[in-house]
Amino acid sequence: MSSYTKPAPNFDLSSPSPAYTLASGDKMPIIAYGTFRSNPGEVGPAVIEALKAGYRHLDLAHVYGNEEEIGKALKQAFDEGIVTRDELFITGKLWNSDHGVDIVPQAAAHSLNNLQLDYFDLYLIHFPVCWKHTGLATPGWGASELGDTPLIDTWRAMEDLVEKGVCKNIGVSNYPMMVMHDLVTQAKIQPVCNQIEVHAYYQRESLVNYCLSRNICVTAHTPLGGGVLNSETWDTPIPLKDPIILEIAKKHGKSPAQVLLRSLLQRGIVILPKSVKPHRMAENKDILDFSLTETEMKKIATLDKYVSYKTNPNPLSSFMGGPDAFSEMGTDIFD
């Protein structure tokens, strides 16, 4: 087999608090707490529990619709001395309908106001697609129409946020390989992160290794392949139930989820598992006391199905009912 570029992990898994050193020099904790699919009334208490469990990296997004509740939880955590703002690494995201150059700073300010914060540690372009603006308080979803702001113009507005101190770092999410490279060749301030769907069934080695070779952190927003909810909703196979994962988990006395999360860390990928259950939060963090052998990693590598499970949510169906729906299911921006 011919050789290829496979960068070593940027972080030390033997450290008690391993962190990815971003291109800016800032430290990003490698295990984040995700807030997608958290229902109103449960996300606030869940964030408090996550902070008590030791999570210091929170992954948020305007389109999740829960920023205000999370903002109240953060204020409570600060007031009660659970954590200080300086101890946290907070990621936010710019939604598709807010790509306009004049809208970008307004959208960031709107989210920060919701969260009762002064700055983001990291702010990401959520998807590489611009939709027509639908209002800051009403991020577009449904009958979505393509906008006319080029991605690089949106990025220039993001760069202005760094220069003004609104965001310490900027990056992207759901960017495929060549769109990522196009940005890298044009950016004045380089993206420090690409948050993507990556898991045992969709390993994306070319994209992952490309990003790591440029010191662009790769974060897995769906590290378990969507979990049981995806299996029940779309009848898709999930790695949590794969016989190879179950075998490795039994050998180590760990859960299938812990094996899947650990395998991503050993590839140099930051993870953001999601759960509102305290025992799951603790389990998802308890993955630094064991390691997978080279043989086990090779077995997991054989599970790649080279298929996206579109789990974050792919904006495919959002185009339905509008003039830019180009298939029965909507429009797949990754076609």
Side-chain angles (χ1 to χ4, degrees):
M1 180 181 294
S2 59
S3 63
Y4 61 97
T5 300
K6 188 175 183 180
N10 173 291
F11 44 79
D12 179 7
L13 284 173
S14 67
S15 167
S17 300
Y20 190 108
T21 303
L22 300 174
S24 65
D26 290 337
K27 304 286 187 180
M28 171 197 281
I30 64 171
I31 304 176
Y33 179 70
T35 57
F36 177 47
R37 285 177 174 164
S38 295
N39 296 322
E42 70 177 9
V43 68
V47 166
I48 294 293
E49 289 298 325
L51 295 175
K52 289 181 177 179
Y55 286 87
R56 293 297 180 263
H57 178 180
L58 303 180
D59 183 79
L60 321 175
H62 181 40
V63 77
Y64 298 166
N66 52 23
E67 286 179 330
E68 290 190 19
E69 186 173 342
I70 291 172
K72 293 176 182 177
L74 289 174
K75 184 178 187 304
Q76 177 186 338
F78 298 153
D79 290 346
E80 294 179 3
I82 298 172
V83 69
T84 66
R85 175 64 183 94
D86 289 345
E87 294 174 317
L88 294 181
F89 189 100
I90 296 181
T91 298
K93 302 187 191 77
L94 177 80
W95 186 235
N96 308 341
S97 54
D98 296 331
H99 275 218
V101 172
D102 59 332
I103 301 299
V104 170
Q106 298 177 48
H110 182 80
S111 289
L112 288 170
N113 183 64
N114 287 341
L115 295 165
Q116 303 185 50
L117 298 174
D118 296 324
Y119 65 92
F120 282 115
D121 294 280
L122 176 62
Y123 197 49
L124 308 177
I125 294 177
H126 205 144
F127 280 98
V129 61
C130 171
W131 292 345
K132 290 186 177 179
H133 186 56
T134 55
L136 293 174
T138 51
W141 186 267
S144 301
E145 296 183 50
L146 294 170
D148 57 10
T149 304
L151 289 174
I152 190 59
D153 289 353
T154 301
W155 186 255
R156 293 284 181 249
M158 297 279 284
E159 291 174 328
D160 286 342
L161 296 181
V162 176
E163 293 172 356
K164 294 176 180 176
V166 175
C167 312
K168 290 188 174 183
N169 300 275
I170 51 176
V172 296
S173 182
N174 302 300
Y175 267 49
M177 174 79 183
M178 294 318 298
V179 179
M180 191 77 228
H181 182 63
D182 188 62
L183 174 59
V184 167
T185 61
Q186 298 182 75
K188 297 174 183 176
I189 298 177
Q190 287 293 312
V192 302
C193 176
N194 188 12
Q195 186 181 121
I196 59 173
E197 177 189 359
V198 57
H199 46 78
Y201 281 180
Y202 191 41
Q203 300 189 22
R204 311 185 77 175
E205 191 172 27
S206 294
L207 176 59
V208 169
N209 288 338
Y210 169 83
C211 289
L212 296 183
S213 75
R214 267 69 175 174
N215 196 19
I216 298 169
C217 173
V218 175
T219 302
H221 62 53
T222 319
L224 304 180
V228 176
L229 180 58
N230 271 31
S231 178
E232 294 174 346
T233 304
W234 294 297
D235 193 29
T236 56
I238 54 173
L240 281 169
K241 297 181 179 180
D242 191 283
I244 287 179
I245 299 300
L246 295 176
E247 175 191 350
I248 294 173
K250 183 177 180 180
K251 176 183 174 182
H252 288 278
K254 292 290 186 177
S255 71
Q258 289 173 314
V259 169
L260 291 168
L261 295 173
R262 177 73 193 196
S263 69
L264 289 169
L265 291 183
Q266 288 186 208
R267 291 180 61 197
I269 298 170
V270 172
I271 55 174
L272 51 101
K274 315 168 187 70
S275 179
V276 296
K277 300 175 181 178
H279 73 282
R280 291 290 185 204
M281 295 179 192
E283 177 185 299
N284 290 339
K285 282 187 90 277
D286 186 24
I287 55 176
L288 299 178
D289 62 349
F290 78 108
S291 61
L292 301 174
T293 66
E294 183 178 351
T295 298
E296 289 168 337
M297 290 294 290
K298 287 180 178 179
K299 284 185 178 180
I300 294 173
T302 67
L303 301 180
D304 196 353
K305 299 180 184 296
Y306 305 97
V307 175
S308 167
Y309 291 83
K310 305 184 190 307
T311 50
N312 190 42
N314 182 289
L316 176 72
S317 63
S318 179
F319 290 92
M320 295 301 295
D324 290 323
F326 298 119
S327 77
E328 291 182 357
M329 299 178 66
T331 297
D332 191 337
I333 65 171
F334 300 111
D335 270 357

